[in-house]
Amino acid sequence: DVQLQASGGGLVQAGGSLRLSCAASGFTFDNYGIGWFRRAPGKDRERVSYIWQSDRSTYYTDSVKGRFTISSDNSKNTVYLQMNNLKPEDTAKYYCAADPVKPLLFRLWQPAHWGQGTQVTVSS
């Protein structure tokens, strides 16, 4: 069975950094797209970043471009999200997700498999 475990969240001041990890198991890692969503209280779920393992393509929502970097360590079946220059508006619960079908468009990505979220809180 597909399992995803997100970790690395915490409390940080604006301008600080965090690195989230998504440890995957139960599927062929190289054949999946894996990425991150986030949800803040009272707001819609937002697609944050995505990496497609077969061609190493990556995508980011506009608000995090230049600040966040997604990467993967295939030997460890783990995807990372390095978050730099964090802002209070980045405060949200971040969820790791995966799907074997590459989306036509990043904004249409609807992964089938989800892990538990990890909370990121950025103070001013």
Side-chain angles (χ1 to χ4, degrees):
D1 59 319
V2 174
Q3 296 189 63
L4 301 165
Q5 180 63 52
S7 62
L11 175 64
V12 65
Q13 289 187 313
S17 298
L18 287 171
R19 188 177 75 161
L20 306 184
S21 298
C22 176
S25 63
F27 61 95
T28 303
F29 189 76
D30 291 350
N31 294 339
Y32 274 69
I34 303 176
W36 299 89
F37 286 71
R38 66 186 180 186
R39 184 188 291 276
K43 297 182 179 179
D44 292 335
R45 183 181 63 192
E46 180 184 20
R47 297 169 179 85
V48 178
S49 187
Y50 168 98
I51 183 166
W52 184 249
Q53 301 297 336
S54 63
D55 63 6
R56 303 176 186 177
S57 57
T58 60
Y59 302 88
Y60 302 90
T61 193
D62 287 345
S63 64
V64 309
K65 288 180 179 177
R67 300 188 297 120
F68 291 11
T69 303
I70 192 168
S71 63
S72 63
D73 184 341
N74 290 1
S75 68
K76 297 181 178 180
N77 286 356
T78 300
V79 169
Y80 304 96
L81 185 67
Q82 179 67 44
M83 305 185 295
N84 296 327
N85 192 24
L86 283 161
K87 303 175 180 180
E89 50 263 46
D90 295 317
T91 295
K93 195 167 187 179
Y94 285 69
Y95 297 87
C96 178
D99 198 275
V101 178
K102 187 176 183 179
L104 182 63
L105 297 170
F106 174 54
R107 66 179 178 86
L108 300 178
W109 187 44
Q110 296 179 299
H113 307 286
W114 292 78
Q116 298 295 319
T118 185
Q119 179 67 38
V120 172
T121 302
V122 184
S123 63
S124 60

